[in-house]
Each structure stands twice: as structure tokens, then as C-alpha cells.
Amino acid sequence: MKTMKSKIAVALMAAGLSFSAAAADITIAYDADPVSLDPHEQLSGGTLQLSHMVFDPLVRFTQEMDFEPRLATSWERMDNKTVRFNLREGVTFHSGNPFTADDVVWTFKRLKSSPDFKGIFTPIVDIKKVDAHTVDVITDGTYPLVENVMTYVFPMDSKYYSGKTEDGRDKAELKKNGSTYASTHLSGTGPYVVAEREQGVVVEFKRNENYWDKDSEGNVDNITLRPIKEDATRVAALLSGDVDMIAPVSPNDYRRIERSDNLQLVTMPGTRVITFQMNQSVVDEFKDPRVRQAVAYAVNNEGIAQKIMKGAATPASQQSPVGYAGYNADLKPRYDLAKAKKLMEEAGYPDGFSITMIAPNNRYVNDEKIAQAVAAMMAKIGIKVDLQTMPKAQYWPEFDKCEAGMQMIGWHPDTEDSANFTEFLTMTRNADTGKGQYNCGHYSNSEVDKLVTAANSETDLEKRSAMLQKVEKILYDDAAFLPLHWQDPSWAAKNNVNIKPIVNGMNFPYFGDLVVE
């Protein structure tokens, strides 16, 4: 388990790490570990959790979904296309390099080249340096979500990531599912440094004693992250005392946690929608909206939420949860097996057809069981499913190929806004802009594209909500995808691990602020 030690020794020494005998140490069991140390390689929960630990965003959300200054101390709108951000002074990266506006500009340019992240940044035309600790964010017209997008700017150490490696490779190289300098080397401004890492086995985090946030009450100096795929095994590790905290917690295990006097369970209403995409590029039958509608009517997502998720999920009929701008109260789950069979007959497939289906088995709560249930329900209308499930690390490269007939994906909106669901999951795929980056259903509707584009420049909130609600209605009528439910985030920990103040609806606990009593 020393695979990364030599690569990050310099960063550790530069961070000036030292530890007292009384340092608080904890071990956390997650369902999977980050697939890469490059914060721009994959737009995923694991990557963003890593970013909050090793880097810092310009702005971050509080539990109440307000904006909290981080590497940006304040900001103001200069005109309809410009928001000025004042940057925190006196901050250093783990390498010892000072943090300046140059790092923000450099990071933004790299984000715009990331296949996964550039879609979020499409409305941002440029970030310009004003002086060493001031930048102007320039938008393409009036854009109402600048602060939301800035929560995804985790400035990288531009000097550390510039230049060539010993074998002549560009240190700034960004490659999806590839081995690059940035995928194995880290220099951020965050509360932790990665001390050791063995993919799929362990990640060791050490406190950065030069961390700028001296007001934080966080007292955890050493965090060991161990990926444990199986839900029951994670809970058993917590009950036995082998680990101090786990996430997620399977709904099947809630009572086991609650019965223990030494453990606490924390859950929140979820905004991550779990869906299946119906791939029109490999299954011709899915090009017929009646077939897609038949699938939507055949799948009992209310039953899945009750029986498989044990009530720890809300059945979904759309992308947007309650409280989001695009939530359309008129749209309801539509399980009706008789209607599903009738639609299959009308479409000319009374005997059904065969498809392949892929899903992860350690990314979402009960993902494998959900996939098995969906496959069984589809069999009732003659659609024979060849299901393959796999660990998260293997799943995403397969997902990116868009080669299966149906593919599971869950999505938490990166900007905490309805438009983000559509931008990534159901807008027409566009490699240049990043729109539709995760649309492996190859669904395309020009009206949806136009409405979302217009909504992203509309500052009248009522008008904007009406546009996004119309989008949800179109997607519902078209059965553009198969919505299942919104998943409740969940965590469990020993009673002395004060997790309630650091968890949030985005499911990225702020471990730098964690207090162990």
C-alpha cells in the first residue's frame, strides 16, 4: 500500500505535516473510492468529495443551500455579463506555491477542456485576472447561476501542474480513464493531503497543518478511506468498531444502526434522481416513443421505492424534485401494466424484443437490486433483458461507450438547479459544448434544447420556472428516459463522530470541519 508514497512525498514535506499523539484519527468506509486524483477527469460524487478534501472551491453551499465564501471572500455583479470575485490572500498550496488569480484562470481554462465539466461552464465565456487576488467572471449574456457554477471551481496549483514530466508528458494533460500526471499527483489548498493511495484498497489523508481556515473546529488529522462495496459488510464493520463512519447506509440496515446505543444514523431528503436511459442508437425499437412509454408504464417505481428502498426514496416521474424550479406537480408515476402491453402492441412489438442492460453494483443505494427488479418488470411486456452489473470503477468506462440498450445513471444537479439535469442527461449530445455529455439514450428534442438555453439567461424566476416545468412535461410525454426515484443520502457513525454539522444534501461531507469528541 505504498504505491503513491514516493510521488507525493514532496507535497507532504512542503505542507509541513506533523502530528501529536492526541491527534484524532478515523476510518471511513465508503461504497467506492475516487477513480482518479484528477479533479477534472470525472464529474462524479467520489471526485467531488475528494475535491472538497484536498482542494477548496471558490464558493460552497451550506446545509441551508446558501452560498459560503471559501477561496473567494466576496463577489459583486459589475454589469449583466460580469461578476467580480475577490480572492483570499495568504493561502498556499500543498507544494508551498502561493494561491493567486493566475491559478483560478488556469483552472478555468482546464475545466473548459474537460469532457465532463465543460457543460457546466458553457455559460461562462471567460475568467479574467484583474489583479493578483481579483478575477472577473464573464458570462454569455445575463446568467442567473454564476455563484452555483463557482462551487465547481476548485483552483489547482498552476505552477505544480505546468511543465513536463521526466518522460516528457505534459503535467496538465487531462485524459478520461487514462493515466496522467494529474491522475496520480495532487497539490491543492484543502485541509488534507493524500499520503497513500492504492486504488480500490485504501486512501490515506493527512491534515494539512498550513491550512488557511484557522476558524474551523475540525480536529481530525488522519482519515483512512476504505472502499467496501457490500452494504452488509460496511454496516458490520461499523457495528464491530473496525470503522468510525460509513456511507451510504442501505435502507435494509437502518434498524440495525438505530438499535445500537453507540451509533447514529443521519439521513436527508434526496435530490439525486436514479434513472435508466433507453439507448436509441443501439435499440431501434426505442426510437418509437410508444415503446419508451410502454417501459415507463411497465416499471412500478413506487413499488421499488417501498420494497427495495424501504421507504428511503421518493418515487419520481421527472428529473426535478420538489422545491426545484422545474418541478412539475402535474406529473405523476404511471405504473399500468395493461396500458404498457397495449402500447407494445400498437408499436408492433406484441412479442417484445431483446436488449442488453448495464448497471453499477456499488454506486447507488441498492443499485443492483433495482436493476434486477426493472429487468423483471420489463419481462412482463416481452422485453427480454440481458443484465450485467459491475463495480463503479469498471462501470463508468462502460457507460461512456453508450453501447448497452439500457444504462443506469443517477444524477445530483451540479448547480442545484433543474436545468442541470437536462443539460447533461437529456439535451442533444454535443461534444463541443459538453451538452448531453451523459445522454446515452441519444434522446434529442430541439424544443427542449431551446427552452433550457433560454432558461439559462432568464432572470425572471417565474418565467424561468415555467420554461423548466415545460421541459419536464415534454420529457414525460416523450418518455425520454425512465425515472425511478430520488435517493435519500445517508450516513452512519459512532456517537463521538459529530457528522450532523458536516453532511449536506449534495452528499459531500466537509471533513475538514469534522469534530471527533
Side-chain angles (χ1 to χ4, degrees):
M1 290 191 274
K2 308 295 183 183
T3 55
M4 281 199 57
K5 227 168 188 179
S6 61
K7 295 180 179 179
I8 60 176
V10 173
L12 279 170
M13 293 174 64
L17 296 176
S18 63
F19 307 99
S20 66
D25 301 346
I26 66 168
T27 298
I28 302 169
Y30 267 27
D31 54 354
D33 56 342
V35 299
S36 171
L37 299 185
D38 187 337
H40 300 163
E41 184 175 325
Q42 183 183 82
L43 181 54
S44 68
T47 296
L48 291 167
Q49 179 66 79
L50 176 76
S51 295
H52 278 288
M53 296 175 74
V54 182
F55 296 88
D56 272 309
L58 292 183
V59 182
R60 77 181 183 188
F61 285 105
T62 66
Q63 285 183 330
E64 295 74 30
M65 301 309 294
D66 295 323
F67 294 112
E68 177 184 9
R70 297 306 288 170
L71 290 184
T73 57
S74 62
W75 51 93
E76 60 180 326
R77 185 169 288 278
M78 308 300 288
D79 55 47
N80 286 343
K81 296 183 179 182
T82 308
V83 179
R84 177 162 294 176
F85 284 79
N86 300 304
L87 306 178
R88 192 174 299 277
E89 300 185 31
V91 177
T92 58
F93 288 99
H94 299 153
S95 67
N97 292 328
F99 163 66
T100 70
D102 292 329
D103 301 300
V104 178
V105 172
W106 186 93
T107 300
F108 168 72
K109 291 179 179 177
R110 193 170 189 266
L111 280 163
K112 291 284 276 189
S113 72
S114 167
D116 276 24
F117 283 84
K118 65 183 177 182
I120 297 175
F121 290 88
T122 299
I124 312 298
V125 175
D126 198 5
I127 295 184
K128 295 182 177 180
K129 175 182 177 181
V130 177
D131 58 38
H133 291 94
T134 311
V135 295
D136 281 347
V137 176
I138 314 299
T139 60
D140 182 12
T142 302
Y143 182 58
L145 304 175
V146 172
E147 291 93 341
N148 304 56
V149 172
M150 291 303 107
T151 65
Y152 286 86
V153 177
F154 293 84
M156 297 176 72
D157 186 344
S158 59
K159 292 181 180 178
Y160 180 84
Y161 291 102
S162 294
K164 300 290 184 180
T165 63
E166 291 182 359
D167 57 359
R169 293 187 299 164
D170 183 359
K171 289 184 177 180
E173 180 185 9
L174 174 60
K175 179 186 282 187
K176 194 155 175 81
N177 304 316
S179 177
T180 65
Y181 182 82
S183 69
T184 55
H185 294 72
L186 280 173
S187 177
T189 61
Y192 293 98
V193 172
V194 175
E196 294 185 26
R197 175 177 182 255
E198 185 173 353
Q199 179 68 43
V201 178
V202 67
V203 186
E204 298 280 358
F205 295 92
K206 304 291 185 183
R207 172 74 72 167
N208 170 19
E209 289 192 345
N210 290 332
Y211 188 46
W212 60 267
D213 189 357
K214 304 303 181 185
D215 294 330
S216 173
E217 296 180 358
N219 68 344
V220 178
D221 284 359
N222 303 282
I223 296 178
T224 299
L225 170 62
R226 295 192 180 280
I228 300 178
K229 182 184 74 172
E230 295 80 10
D231 295 334
T233 307
R234 276 197 309 280
V235 171
L238 181 63
L239 290 168
S240 68
D242 290 341
V243 302
D244 302 284
M245 174 180 170
I246 64 171
V249 184
S250 170
N252 295 325
D253 295 317
Y254 281 8
R255 289 186 180 179
R256 296 179 68 190
I257 301 295
E258 292 169 336
R259 284 198 298 262
S260 173
D261 293 334
N262 301 317
L263 301 177
Q264 58 181 308
L265 173 69
V266 178
T267 63
M268 288 185 174
T271 57
R272 179 184 297 279
V273 69
I274 306 299
T275 73
F276 267 104
Q277 296 177 336
M278 293 172 274
N279 193 342
Q280 299 180 41
S281 71
V282 298
V283 179
D284 286 339
E285 292 87 344
F286 284 153
K287 293 177 181 178
D288 190 328
R290 292 171 297 183
V291 174
R292 302 195 301 269
Q293 290 163 2
V295 173
Y297 280 106
V299 174
N300 184 358
N301 54 358
E302 292 181 301
I304 290 173
Q306 293 169 5
K307 295 182 179 180
I308 296 178
M309 296 299 292
K310 306 295 184 183
T314 303
S317 57
Q318 57 192 299
Q319 301 169 122
S320 301
V322 174
Y324 273 52
Y327 175 73
N328 191 326
D330 295 333
L331 307 181
K332 306 294 182 183
R334 47 183 164 181
Y335 175 59
D336 186 332
L337 190 57
K339 188 165 186 176
K341 291 178 179 179
K342 184 177 180 181
L343 283 164
M344 289 289 285
E345 291 178 2
E346 291 176 359
Y349 305 105
D351 299 323
F353 50 88
S354 298
I355 65 166
T356 58
M357 174 189 287
I358 62 172
N361 57 23
N362 67 339
R363 175 61 187 95
Y364 312 114
V365 176
N366 290 330
D367 42 17
E368 185 170 38
K369 293 179 181 178
I370 292 167
Q372 291 169 346
V374 170
M377 292 171 182
M378 292 177 63
K380 294 181 179 180
I381 59 171
I383 300 179
K384 294 170 281 295
V385 176
D386 179 7
L387 171 64
Q388 182 182 8
T389 65
M390 63 200 81
K392 167 186 170 183
Q394 286 77 54
Y395 182 70
W396 290 118
E398 288 300 313
F399 180 95
D400 289 337
K401 295 176 184 178
C402 296
E403 293 179 351
M406 289 183 67
Q407 305 192 172
M408 177 184 281
I409 185 167
W411 198 263
H412 174 270
D414 309 298
T415 53
E416 303 302 325
D417 180 76
S418 295
N420 182 265
F421 286 112
T422 310
E423 287 174 313
F424 279 89
L425 300 180
T426 46
M427 280 185 76
T428 303
R429 289 176 67 93
N430 187 321
D432 293 332
T433 64
K435 300 300 184 186
Q437 171 70 19
Y438 282 84
N439 178 3
C440 276
H442 290 271
Y443 174 80
S444 179
N445 186 308
S446 60
E447 187 176 3
V448 167
D449 296 346
K450 291 175 182 177
L451 280 167
V452 174
T453 300
N456 281 343
S457 61
E458 179 56 68
T459 57
D460 184 313
L461 297 184
E462 288 189 10
K463 290 182 179 178
R464 189 170 188 274
S465 292
M467 292 177 182
L468 295 173
Q469 289 165 8
K470 185 175 181 180
V471 166
E472 293 288 12
K473 181 65 164 61
I474 294 171
L475 298 177
Y476 181 89
D477 291 343
D478 256 358
F481 64 101
L482 176 63
L484 295 173
H485 54 258
W486 294 288
Q487 171 184 297
D488 291 349
S490 57
W491 309 265
K494 296 177 180 177
N495 285 336
N496 68 320
V497 181
N498 194 13
I499 61 173
K500 286 185 179 180
I502 71 159
V503 298
N504 47 63
M506 293 82 67
N507 204 8
F508 314 135
Y510 299 150
F511 285 110
D513 298 331
L514 177 61
V515 174
V516 174
E517 300 169 353

